[in-house]
């Protein structure tokens, strides 16, 4: 007799979950997707999704084939002295992008966010929920949300100029030189005076 019920953990289960996750995130965005719905679409138990991928943010990163989890990256960069985080963030950001195997999925994500409102919304929801919230919590400042947004705007602009448009000599600078050049700007966004007028 044919077996019935949920699909057992097999060699094709992980790929089925990834396909289901890609479809769910594409149709419902980051906020509108749940582990339970991904599991239902893949024909597996939710526990199996957690077994393979852990948290929803990890599943999202895996479904986009990203080389790193930006949420974990942001948390690690702010875990040490926040007053010296600017150069660390730029250095790690550039080193991840400069790695050849990492660049294609990152460029695809950036290009899709620029050309598709649906992709932009999905990326924005993920960044707001999983990345910005960690930065805001760590900074513990009344204008932390603005500061986190400024950091991300700087990094997106850097990625566009260096890897998509390939503006020279920016595109050819070493990661260490870029960290020294751009790091202080990020540091001011994180902890410095933003020059905002008093309310």
């Amino acid at each position: 007799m044919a077996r019935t019920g949920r699909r057992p953990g097999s060699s094709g289960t992980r790929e089925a979950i990834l396909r289901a996750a890609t479809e769910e995130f594409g149709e419902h965005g980051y906020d509108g997707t749940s582990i339970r719905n991904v599991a239902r679409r893949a024909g597996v138990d939710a526990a199996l999704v957690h077994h393979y991928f852990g948290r929803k943010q990890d599943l999202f990163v895996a479904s986009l084939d990203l080389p790193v989890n930006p949420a974990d990256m942001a948390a690690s960069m702010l875990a040490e002295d926040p007053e010296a985080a600017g150069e660390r963030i730029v250095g790690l950001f550039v080193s991840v992008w400069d790695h050849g195997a990492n660049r294609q999925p990152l460029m695809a994500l950036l290009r899709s966010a620029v050309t598709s409102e649906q992709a932009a919304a999905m990326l924005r929801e993920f960044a707001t929920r999983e990345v910005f919230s960690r930065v805001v919590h760590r900074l513990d400042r009344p204008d932390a949300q603005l500061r986190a947004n400024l950091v991300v705007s700087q990094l997106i602009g850097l990625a566009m100029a260096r890897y998509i448009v390939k503006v020279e000599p920016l595109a050819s600078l070493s990661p260490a030189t870029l960290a020294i050049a751009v790091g202080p700007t990020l540091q001011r966004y994180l902890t410095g005076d933003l020059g905002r007028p008093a309310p």
Side-chain angles (χ1 to χ4, degrees):
M1 292 180 62
R3 293 182 63 182
T4 60
R6 294 289 188 175
R7 180 196 317 230
S10 66
S11 60
T13 301
R14 188 178 191 279
E15 290 71 22
I17 293 171
L18 277 179
R19 281 195 302 273
T22 301
E23 293 166 1
E24 283 288 322
F25 285 125
E27 291 175 15
H28 305 292
Y30 184 79
D31 286 347
T33 296
S34 69
I35 292 288
R36 186 181 302 276
N37 288 343
V38 170
R40 185 179 300 116
R41 175 169 277 192
V44 300
D45 290 319
L48 204 53
V49 179
H50 286 293
H51 168 73
Y52 279 110
F53 299 101
R55 306 162 296 179
K56 184 171 82 166
Q57 62 171 260
D58 298 316
L59 178 60
F60 179 77
V61 169
S63 73
L64 293 178
D65 195 27
L66 297 183
V68 296
N69 188 326
D72 292 340
M73 207 168 85
S76 67
M77 288 297 93
L78 291 170
E80 300 174 45
D81 180 12
E83 297 297 328
E87 286 190 24
R88 290 199 307 270
I89 291 173
V90 176
L92 179 59
F93 181 82
V94 173
S95 69
V96 170
W97 273 84
D98 277 1
H99 194 279
N102 297 341
R103 195 173 301 171
Q104 284 309 117
L106 289 169
M107 289 177 68
L109 175 62
L110 195 56
R111 285 191 174 115
S112 66
V114 170
T115 58
S116 165
E117 175 53 37
Q118 186 178 26
M122 182 170 61
L123 179 60
R124 186 168 57 245
E125 289 167 1
F126 172 73
T128 300
R129 179 83 62 199
E130 305 295 352
V131 183
F132 290 175
S133 62
R134 293 188 179 206
V135 174
V136 167
H137 176 73
R138 179 66 181 171
L139 292 178
D140 193 25
R141 292 170 177 258
D143 58 353
Q145 187 71 56
L146 172 62
R147 290 175 182 274
N149 277 242
L150 289 170
V151 168
V152 172
S153 72
Q154 185 76 35
L155 294 176
I156 290 175
L158 177 60
M160 287 291 295
R162 182 173 169 89
Y163 303 104
I164 305 294
V165 183
K166 297 183 179 179
V167 177
E168 290 291 358
L170 178 65
S172 300
L173 289 179
S174 69
T177 302
L178 267 177
I180 293 170
V182 181
T185 299
L186 258 67
Q187 193 62 51
R188 183 172 72 84
Y189 289 160
L190 287 168
T191 60
D193 180 12
L194 298 182
R196 300 176 69 194

